[in-house]
Amino acid sequence: MTVDLKSLQSAYAKVAVLVLHDPVCLPIFERIEREIAAVEVKGDAISRARAVAARHRAVS
């Protein structure tokens, strides 16, 4: 199952409110934080790969 960044950010905001009302939701909040970070890192890696490939094409 693939979840997009926008959905994760929406869930993150909603769960943040829940955590303020009941800290029992904190593990869910932390899980969503980790998922967002993973998506962002993956996107950054893909961007870096594109940049390297573009430089390689420019040299070739």
Side-chain angles (χ1 to χ4, degrees):
M1 179 175 154
T2 304
V3 180
D4 63 280
L5 184 58
K6 189 173 181 175
S7 296
L8 285 169
Q9 290 169 332
S10 176
Y12 187 62
K14 291 173 186 171
V15 175
V17 173
L18 293 174
V19 168
L20 295 179
H21 292 285
D22 190 351
V24 74
C25 298
L26 189 57
I28 298 167
F29 180 81
E30 291 172 329
R31 170 69 187 267
I32 296 170
E33 264 183 336
R34 289 191 303 272
E35 294 293 329
I36 289 172
V39 169
E40 291 173 341
V41 166
K42 182 178 179 183
D44 289 344
I46 291 171
S47 295
R48 290 191 310 273
R50 283 187 182 123
V52 168
R55 285 193 303 267
H56 177 72
R57 283 192 301 268
V59 172
S60 297

